[in-house]
Amino acid sequence: MGHFATRIQGGANRRWNCDLMAFLMWYDPNMTETHFKPVLLIEDDPDMVEVMKLSLELEGFRVYVASEGQEALDLLQSVETPALIFMDLGMAGMGGVQFRRMQEKDPKISGIHVVVMSGAADMESQISPRDNLSYLRKPVSLDQFIDLAKHHCA
């Protein structure tokens, strides 16, 4: 998990706690229960997925994961509709811009709030701001990430 220190801010204690909690969940899978509506994480970096998914699960979220936009659209047809989507902007395959266009055309998923995550300086200009859209600049602060999830999924 050391690789996350440069990508996700949260401090050594949070990383250690994630390692400890991952072990405890393995040891006792009933330790955490879901307390919030589900979240979809669309991210193609496996390291980011691992830490973000674990962080959300430790807070009581059920998390669905897709590595690109088309996979996410397919997944959304077969799972409980999430209350929030965290989406990387630049991904192989169907990227964030294309996913957002397809999402807006589908009445079943068009109302889901999307948090666009990117380190690109022009992130806001790549996807025009509309209802149900906000931005989170990379590197991501775990505290801000979790707070956004709690705000939209309570």
Side-chain angles (χ1 to χ4, degrees):
M1 287 184 110
H3 175 69
F4 304 126
T6 60
R7 305 287 304 278
I8 296 183
Q9 301 167 353
N13 288 338
R14 184 177 285 272
R15 283 192 311 277
W16 184 85
N17 287 339
C18 284
D19 287 341
L20 176 62
M21 292 302 290
F23 169 75
L24 292 174
M25 284 175 62
W26 169 80
Y27 182 72
D28 181 4
N30 297 320
M31 185 178 155
T32 61
E33 299 175 17
T34 57
H35 302 289
F36 298 98
K37 296 174 186 168
V39 172
L40 172 60
L41 176 60
I42 311 172
E43 171 64 61
D44 61 348
D45 180 332
D47 293 336
M48 294 283 287
V49 168
E50 181 181 356
V51 75
M52 291 176 155
K53 183 176 187 290
L54 180 59
S55 297
L56 288 166
E57 287 173 341
L58 291 175
E59 294 290 334
F61 290 90
R62 182 174 43 247
V63 182
Y64 307 121
V65 176
S67 61
E68 55 90 26
Q70 186 59 55
E71 181 183 353
L73 290 171
D74 295 342
L75 182 66
L76 285 166
Q77 300 304 314
S78 63
V79 297
E80 179 183 354
T81 303
L84 180 65
I85 298 172
F86 284 103
M87 176 185 71
D88 185 18
L89 190 56
M91 297 174 283
M94 181 187 286
V97 174
Q98 296 89 349
F99 170 83
R100 182 68 176 167
R101 285 187 195 130
M102 298 299 291
Q103 180 210 6
E104 290 176 328
K105 292 178 183 177
D106 185 339
K108 180 184 175 200
I109 60 173
S110 63
I112 303 171
H113 189 89
V114 175
V115 177
V116 178
M117 302 181 300
S118 177
D122 64 342
M123 166 175 51
E124 289 87 353
S125 67
Q126 292 187 40
I127 296 185
S128 59
R130 294 192 175 118
D131 292 339
N132 296 324
L133 184 69
S134 56
Y135 304 95
L136 189 57
R137 182 137 339 259
K138 289 183 178 181
V140 173
S141 158
L142 280 179
D143 292 330
Q144 186 179 14
F145 176 73
I146 296 297
D147 288 346
L148 269 171
K150 287 180 178 178
H151 173 75
H152 289 286
C153 298

